Amino acid sequence: MRDLILVLDFGGQYNQLIVRRVRDLGVYAEILPYDAPLDIIKSKSPKGIVLTGGPRVVTEPDAPAVSPDLLSMGIPILGICYGCQLISHMLGGSVVASSSREYGKAPLFVKTDNPLFHSVPEQTTCWMSHTYYVQDPPPNFHIIASTPTCPAASITDGQNFYGVQFHPEVVHTPDGNVIIKNFLHICGVAFDWKVDDFVGDTIKKIRERIGDKRVLMALSGGVDSSVAALMIHKAVGKQLTCVFVDNGLLRLGEADEVENFYRSAYDMNIVRVNASDRFLAKLAGVTEPEQKRKIIGEEFIRVFEEESDKIGETHFLAQGTIYPDIIESGGKHAAVIKSHHNVGGLPKNIAFKEIIEPLRELFKDEVRRAGMSMGMPEHMVYRQPFPGPGLAVRCLGEVTSEKLDILRRADAIFREEIATAGLDRDIWQYFAILPNLRSVGVMGDERTYFHTVALRAVTSLDAMTADWADIPFPVLKKVSNRIVNEAPQVNRVVYDITSKPPATIEWE
Ligand code: XMP
């Protein structure tokens, strides 16, 4: 059994980062909600536990807490921010409000040669983001690092408990990785977790689990479903059937590209469904963005159900769900900004007996590494994310085939020029939008009343926040020239210079 570090989530904004840091150091880590049942936690036999930060106050009557039994498991526990305050509060220390919120970089003075700070300079920098702090550590604890405004910036009982008020997981704490690595050494874990091993192990496990049964999967051509499909294909070959739905909302040439690639490179069992007409018929006259998304999601499920009926009974449904999907869908208080739809969303009326999600433990860049380690070509592994509802959310107002044709041409030109300029790996997403806006122009002495095309290109790490990309003017100039000359019915090109927030990446 591989060594595991369990991260118990109290709702802080950096919690996924903690898991990332631990995995990048070669140790497998997982997140569970803070109130996960103790028997589940114990059944995973973690070598160490991290209690994360969170927005609440430990002294409130109904504040989130862990079971006292968790604190007596006898394994190392690191509390970060709220987690540090919680350890302190539960073990008899005091937590109080500071006079003002402390946010940003602070000098950190390391006081002793405790193993948590092994190889960390006596004076370093840390990232603080808190209003409350530990005033008096619990009995038998001592302070091992301080900042000018937070004397108990790090505490320990010298046995199993460690607490830091600052955030070692963010890059603004330059020695944060060393501190996390030190904690992993304290836990006595083996540093031997690698994505490549994960791929081999998973393929083996999938093969054992599937046996001689059949698997059905929706393939979108996106990275997640592609890597998942390839893993399953490597495990059971033609027992896997992939359904690829061309909904008429894909980019220029995309449907043929995806189909040909999987047929020729991997000889996969692929059923391509040309459903463009039925999607466009359902979308006729619809302009409300959420309604468009819902119609596409539902129609996709209908098509998928029909195909699965034709294929006959399949035991397994496979999905390309990745770890952030699982963490995010566990969020209890998140507001619905857009009803996201992933091709491969679970149809309710199909009687599958079991679900296979080979990537449910991986982050996006780990999925990409898994793809590369199976020999997938870079152009498939590093495709930019593309939303499930496709061009419909970039074709504002009613979706018609005429408007889609214009959008496809403009989008293809933009993508081509970004690739030619060598910017495709630096920009998270880059695409065209047809804002349903006509304006007056002049072409060859004639008045025109044509479409405006908007270009959107953003840099991002995880799509949760994004910044507009600083594309060199000569590249924008070339794109704009080509679009007005080559795309039909376009006389104006604009560039979207808004970050997320307040905008979102897609326009609908
Ligand atoms: P927004 O527009 O919310 O998008 O800033 C964040 C990221 O999600 C992608 N996106 C989707 N992906 N199904 C998907 O699989 C969807 O329904 C969907 N809507 C948006 C978007 O392209 C960006 O990467």
Side-chain angles (χ1 to χ4, degrees):
M1 197 172 180
R2 69 186 167 203
D3 289 347
L4 168 74
I5 297 293
L6 211 50
V7 176
L8 295 186
D9 183 2
F10 287 88
Q13 53 183 324
Y14 307 125
N15 296 350
Q16 284 197 33
L17 264 184
I18 303 172
V19 178
R20 295 306 331 261
R21 295 280 171 262
V22 175
R23 287 194 192 178
D24 285 348
L25 287 164
V27 179
Y28 184 68
E30 261 182 31
I31 277 195
L32 282 182
Y34 73 87
D35 52 359
L38 194 61
D39 50 338
I40 292 195
I41 293 175
K42 285 188 170 163
S43 71
K44 290 180 174 275
S45 309
K47 289 274 187 160
I49 290 180
V50 179
L51 308 179
T52 74
R56 300 286 301 276
V57 177
V58 289
T59 47
E60 284 171 356
D62 59 345
V66 291
S67 144
D69 291 344
L70 184 116
L71 300 186
S72 12
M73 277 173 70
I75 54 171
I77 297 185
L78 172 67
I80 295 178
C81 196
Y82 183 92
C84 173
Q85 296 166 17
L86 184 68
I87 291 175
S88 209
H89 181 66
M90 290 181 70
L91 297 177
S94 68
V95 174
V96 296
S98 45
S99 48
S100 62
R101 181 180 161 84
E102 190 183 13
Y103 186 79
K105 284 185 183 174
L108 181 75
F109 300 97
V110 179
K111 305 216 148 166
T112 66
D113 57 357
N114 187 277
L116 190 65
F117 289 99
H118 181 69
S119 299
V120 176
E122 266 174 42
Q123 184 181 343
T124 177
T125 304
C126 67
W127 180 262
M128 289 286 198
S129 173
H130 69 114
T131 318
Y132 284 73
Y133 69 102
V134 174
Q135 186 177 48
D136 298 308
N140 303 323
F141 273 63
H142 54 279
I143 293 173
I144 47 176
S146 306
T147 72
T149 49
C150 180
S154 181
I155 55 173
T156 182
D157 68 341
Q159 312 260 321
N160 286 330
F161 294 109
Y162 297 84
V164 286
Q165 181 53 62
F166 57 89
H167 288 272
E169 69 276 24
V170 303
V171 287
H172 315 288
T173 301
D175 292 301
N177 242 0
V178 180
I179 297 168
I180 293 173
K181 190 172 186 184
N182 287 339
F183 176 67
L184 299 177
H185 278 299
I186 292 168
C187 297
V189 289
F191 289 75
D192 60 0
W193 189 75
K194 286 204 296 293
V195 168
D196 292 12
D197 297 344
F198 172 87
V199 170
D201 287 354
T202 309
I203 292 176
K204 220 167 97 199
K205 279 191 210 149
I206 293 174
R207 189 176 298 131
E208 281 160 16
R209 190 167 161 213
I210 294 177
D212 58 1
K213 301 196 173 73
R214 291 203 299 165
V215 190
L216 189 67
M217 166 158 197
L219 184 69
S220 68
V223 185
D224 303 342
S225 72
S226 300
V227 173
L230 188 54
M231 267 188 186
I232 300 171
H233 178 71
K234 281 189 182 282
V236 296
K238 296 232 167 169
Q239 283 162 252
L240 167 70
T241 302
C242 289
V243 176
F244 170 58
V245 181
D246 176 2
N247 56 9
L249 303 166
L250 301 175
R251 289 163 289 191
L252 195 70
E254 188 168 17
D256 291 344
E257 217 177 280
V258 170
E259 183 189 3
N260 295 341
F261 175 75
Y262 288 99
R263 276 200 208 288
S264 60
Y266 299 112
D267 191 23
M268 263 189 206
N269 234 345
I270 294 196
V271 177
R272 170 169 168 174
V273 190
N274 295 315
S276 180
D277 290 348
R278 54 190 282 190
F279 276 83
L280 288 186
K282 283 269 156 69
L283 287 168
V286 181
T287 56
E288 207 281 312
E290 275 299 288
Q291 212 187 335
K292 279 158 81 174
R293 282 178 169 269
K294 292 216 166 86
I295 289 172
I296 296 163
E298 274 162 25
E299 195 58 16
F300 176 81
I301 290 176
R302 294 291 89 76
V303 173
F304 193 64
E305 281 170 349
E306 287 169 23
E307 290 311 312
S308 85
D309 277 351
K310 287 184 207 156
I311 290 162
E313 197 193 315
T314 33
H315 188 92
F316 291 97
L317 176 72
Q319 292 195 294
T321 320
I322 68 171
Y323 200 46
D325 300 338
I326 292 176
I327 301 174
E328 274 155 30
S329 45
K332 290 170 194 151
H333 308 293
V336 174
I337 310 292
K338 295 174 187 178
S339 45
H340 271 216
H341 145 77
N342 289 309
V343 173
L346 190 57
K348 293 192 180 58
N349 307 343
I350 308 183
F352 293 104
K353 297 200 171 61
E354 290 182 71
I355 290 184
I356 289 199
E357 295 172 317
L359 309 177
R360 58 178 289 127
E361 293 171 2
L362 300 189
F363 288 100
K364 191 83 168 185
D365 59 321
E366 293 173 329
V367 171
R368 292 201 160 112
R369 270 187 273 153
M372 295 296 285
S373 90
M374 289 189 292
M376 278 178 86
E378 269 192 49
H379 71 90
M380 292 309 285
V381 171
Y382 286 94
R383 298 185 96 200
Q384 50 169 326
F386 186 63
L391 296 182
V393 295
R394 298 176 180 173
C395 183
L396 311 200
E398 186 183 6
V399 181
T400 64
S401 57
E402 292 75 29
K403 280 165 72 183
L404 286 172
D405 283 344
I406 300 171
L407 177 57
R408 268 194 200 102
R409 284 294 306 144
D411 183 69
I413 292 167
F414 190 28
R415 286 190 290 131
E416 209 176 291
E417 291 301 331
I418 290 289
T420 306
L423 298 170
D424 46 339
R425 284 283 284 272
D426 301 330
I427 303 179
W428 172 268
Q429 270 174 289
Y430 45 98
F431 53 87
I433 301 114
L434 202 66
N436 207 27
L437 169 76
R438 283 166 194 261
S439 68
V440 174
V442 54
M443 278 178 176
D445 298 333
E446 293 282 336
R447 178 187 191 270
T448 57
Y449 187 56
F450 285 165
H451 281 285
T452 297
V453 162
L455 304 175
R456 179 83 162 136
V458 295
T459 52
S460 177
L461 284 176
D462 51 13
M464 304 294 284
T465 59
D467 220 339
W468 56 278
D470 200 354
I471 297 177
F473 280 164
V475 178
L476 286 175
K477 199 173 197 166
K478 187 150 180 227
V479 174
S480 162
N481 264 333
R482 281 194 61 196
I483 291 178
V484 288
N485 281 302
E486 295 174 37
Q489 303 273 313
V490 178
N491 64 3
R492 201 176 288 274
V493 178
V494 297
Y495 187 46
D496 179 349
I497 50 167
T498 12
S499 58
K500 170 183 180 176
T504 51
I505 294 177
E506 304 291 345
W507 277 34
E508 281 192 345

